[in-house]
Amino acid sequence: MNTNIKERIRILIGAMGDDEFERFMSDLLPRIFPGFDKLEPSFNFIGKTTKGKCDAHVYHAHDDTYTPIICTTRQSGLSQKILEDISKLSTTKFSKKIQRVLLCINSSLKDEVEEYRAACRERGWELEALSLESLTRHTISQYDLLHIYFNEAYQKPDSAVQGEFRRFDCGERIAEARNDINKSISELIELIDFPSEREWHFIENKEHEICEKYITKLSILTGVSSSWVKHGTYVKYPADILYDNHIEKIDAIPSDKISSYMMIEPESMSISLIVQKSEYNWGVYLFGFTLDFWRWVGDEYHIPLIYQLLEHINNKLKTPYGRVVTKELLQEIRSGQTHPSYIIKKSGNMHYWFDDLFDLHHKYPIAKEQYKHHGEWFVRLQQSFLRYAA
């Protein structure tokens, strides 16, 4: 969101009076915490707050507990008022069933929060506090509330910033993408700069929706398709297609890539390239041709171009690691449903077929017979390149 708009919202929340702030929190809290859709506020049918021992409460039927909510907009004598409000909770009829107290204030929260926690601990309660900064952070993704409460400050975003507001209900796919890179929630939210571990739990449990901008960040981090995350359509990890004239696609691979792997399935002579572009993002390249040149009829003029492409890959990517894969693993690569890092783990031990492929005249100090250990397919492939490309 535009920084000026964010600051304007922060100012407007900070300027709210008691009645407006309590109404605002009754709308916002069910979007932050699961089960708060049953929140009972203290204001009456005309929106005026009524006196009580707490400003709102939520009953949790699953464990027969209550969460009382304290809302305050007071600037002077704030600490004393909050301590008094906590003390009043002991006189509620559900005091023995209180497990957690939720404190909402429209000002900054400093180290005096420890006083509030200590007062709650004395009574056997936990305290969760939402201050002005955290309330602003939670509010900026709630488009309808922005429109209702802050219309004067908020204008509908153009397409460039729409991702700040558009939200998707895709928690199960979010969790799947996170598990694909074997990261905990706390680790992932640091990687994509998401503000709240608790809120991410709610998203994965389909109790909250997620802003589009964080789907984009997740896609950039892991390579997962944003279309798959948002809609469940298309493949999870899309692949690019390489033909013999696509050298520019190889040149576009980041020069600081971490590692690369050239895979071949000997029966069909299908090849694929997997490149680790960053720690968690891997690119998959499928080739629009197979290397079984001895079965070709009439298209042999492509063979020198294919050799040039493969040689360019070898030079650009500084000799990718070779792998020989099964038909089943080739099908998994093509499906786009498995994170490429797991494909590499399944692909077995190092195989030097791609290193040796370009030694067409066997100049290296190694017996020609040893190349046959790669398999008959390798010998025939070298012979084809020697005939058409050398």
Side-chain angles (χ1 to χ4, degrees), residues 141-197:
S141 61
Q142 305 293 339
Y143 170 61
D144 55 341
L145 293 188
L146 290 171
H147 182 72
I148 293 169
Y149 287 91
F150 311 120
N151 191 49
E152 63 178 283
Y154 174 72
Q155 299 296 323
K156 187 175 181 179
D158 58 28
S159 58
V161 295
Q162 186 67 40
E164 295 274 358
F165 299 95
R166 187 181 293 118
R167 300 169 74 85
F168 292 86
D169 182 16
C170 53
E172 73 283 7
R173 292 187 293 276
I174 290 288
E176 193 173 325
R178 176 178 60 80
N179 288 324
D180 281 353
I181 61 170
N182 195 30
K183 287 295 172 185
S184 67
I185 291 178
S186 61
E187 290 172 322
L188 179 64
I189 68 168
E190 280 193 320
L191 291 170
I192 65 172
D193 197 26
F194 188 81
S196 167
E197 181 177 353

Side-chain angles (χ1 to χ4, degrees), residues 288-305:
F289 51 82
T290 55
L291 300 185
D292 52 346
F293 301 136
W294 47 91
R295 301 187 184 113
W296 287 26
V297 178
D299 290 323
E300 289 80 3
Y301 68 92
H302 286 282
I303 296 176
L305 296 175

